[in-house]
Amino acid sequence: MIDTLNQRHAMPGVVQFVEGRGGLPKAVVSNPHAGAEVYLHGATVTAFQPRGQAPVLWLSPQALFQPGKAIRGGIPVCWPWFGPHPADPSKPQHGFVRTMEWSFVHAGCLPDERTELRLHLQDTTDTRAMWPHAFRLELRVLVGRSLEVTLTTHNTSNHEALVSAALHSYFAVSDIHTVQIDGLDGRDYIDLTAGRIIRRHAGRAVIDQEVDRIYIGTEDACLVRDIAGKRILQVGKSGSRSTVIWNPWSAKAAKLADFPDDGFHTMVCVETANAGPDTRQIKPGASHALTQTIEVMEAAV
Ligand code: BG6
């Protein structure tokens, strides 16, 4: 498999395929702007590091790289539902594509030396048993000074499909106690730690306990101010009306086998999503693109 991927898609010095953890294939990108890694398992981006910067994405040191398991960290893809299935709790949390093996279809170089990767996935008998629609998904990853990830849903069935989705990005921070998140002032959120009660947010968001929130009707970028790390991450988006903020804090972290007990100190999820009331209706033959753009701002904190 690795040999075939390299024969078809490798770009000397820029993109190569190697056996990653658990023997799973991954694409390794290195260009003048940044380095990045993408597993075909779940089409999960597991690393992004602009030149001269510390890693931007958090990856759990206890992450499992196994068929049937989602990778804990990086940017897992939640689709076609977010969180538990709305009607059937026996179906997998966050949908089923984050644990499927995607096909790698294209690697290319843009004139400005950014690197483009494309991965595809389409419906199978197994997916139709969980979700009764034909579909084609594409994940396009553009690696430059910023990382741009676009998940495009093509509804190839002959009926309308309801789709919730998230680019479930985990960010590395120096100390969660000093993190502030801008961009959510005045927005309503569904508090998943308090029975889905809706609350209005004011000011910057800080994380000083378990936080699990779907901010609805949010189309603007967020700034993650990592004061201790002396940097700001900008998380921009399009085609997305929800922003999910998640940090499990100590008690929940202790219950997650693939999450270190103290891991919550150095991560925060700021997810580009369409969830809850922002679920999308996609007409037969239509497509929808969800884009997340991650950038380290040069400005001081
Ligand atoms: C977040 C959800 O997006 O993902 C949380 O809002 C959930 O409720 C978290 O706990 C992690 O989910 P999972 O399935 O990867 O453990």
Side-chain angles (χ1 to χ4, degrees):
M1 168 130 191
I2 300 288
D3 288 348
T4 310
L5 284 165
N6 276 317
Q7 279 156 18
R8 290 196 186 146
H9 302 294
M11 296 167 56
V14 180
V15 177
Q16 63 161 335
F17 295 85
V18 300
E19 205 170 270
R21 288 168 61 185
L24 299 173
K26 70 176 176 185
V28 180
V29 177
S30 174
N31 67 31
H33 305 290
E37 296 189 353
V38 184
Y39 276 77
L40 277 60
H41 183 70
T44 314
V45 179
T46 50
F48 171 58
Q49 186 168 14
R51 301 273 162 237
Q53 295 285 343
V56 169
L57 300 176
W58 182 85
L59 179 63
S60 169
Q62 292 169 211
L64 302 171
F65 291 79
Q66 285 172 14
K69 300 280 185 196
I71 297 171
R72 174 74 66 197
I75 315 181
V77 177
C78 305
W79 190 97
W81 59 85
F82 178 82
H85 185 275
D88 182 351
S90 72
K91 291 184 176 166
Q93 153 107 338
H94 287 329
F96 46 81
V97 305
R98 63 178 180 160
T99 56
M100 290 181 71
E101 308 313 315
W102 291 52
S103 302
F104 194 96
V105 296
H106 175 76
C109 187
L110 273 60
D112 60 6
E113 297 192 85
R114 281 186 296 166
T115 307
E116 178 186 23
L117 310 179
R118 290 177 189 263
L119 296 92
H120 281 184
L121 186 72
Q122 62 185 43
D123 58 293
T124 62
T125 317
D126 286 347
T127 68
R128 287 191 298 274
M130 286 185 282
W131 194 67
H133 302 280
F135 67 84
R136 190 159 52 80
L137 284 184
E138 178 180 88
L139 194 82
R140 177 180 189 242
V141 181
L142 262 183
V143 181
R145 272 312 281 181
S146 61
L147 178 73
E148 188 179 303
V149 181
T150 299
L151 175 69
T152 304
T153 302
H154 301 281
N155 180 358
T156 53
S157 74
N158 53 16
H159 38 264
E160 192 167 87
L162 284 180
V163 172
S164 295
L167 297 167
H168 191 307
S169 32
Y170 289 75
F171 294 107
V173 293
S174 291
D175 176 1
I176 193 65
H177 297 95
T178 71
V179 168
Q180 301 170 343
I181 302 172
D182 280 349
L184 302 166
D185 184 29
R187 307 297 180 176
D188 287 340
Y189 63 90
I190 304 170
D191 191 341
L192 300 174
T193 67
R196 300 185 74 91
I197 192 174
I198 300 209
R199 301 184 202 272
R200 170 89 25 110
H201 185 92
R204 288 179 170 166
V206 294
I207 319 279
D208 52 8
Q209 58 184 323
E210 181 186 355
V211 170
D212 192 357
R213 302 175 180 168
I214 303 172
Y215 286 85
I216 50 184
T218 53
E219 295 182 296
D220 299 334
C222 279
L223 294 182
V224 181
R225 293 177 189 275
D226 178 3
I227 310 285
K230 296 189 170 52
R231 74 174 178 182
I232 301 175
L233 302 175
Q234 178 172 268
V235 188
K237 56 180 181 161
S238 65
S240 158
R241 294 196 194 117
S242 315
T243 304
V244 178
I245 308 287
W246 182 60
N247 181 298
W249 216 248
S250 50
K252 178 129 193 221
K255 288 190 198 141
L256 296 171
D258 57 356
F259 199 109
D261 287 357
D262 60 356
F264 70 96
H265 283 292
T266 52
M267 59 71 67
V268 64
C269 289
V270 178
E271 307 169 33
T272 298
N274 285 306
D278 298 325
T279 296
R280 298 287 175 135
Q281 294 179 330
I282 308 180
K283 296 205 179 307
S287 302
H288 174 261
L290 175 69
T291 297
Q292 178 180 61
T293 308
I294 299 166
E295 197 173 343
V296 180
M297 307 293 285
E298 300 298 342
V301 180

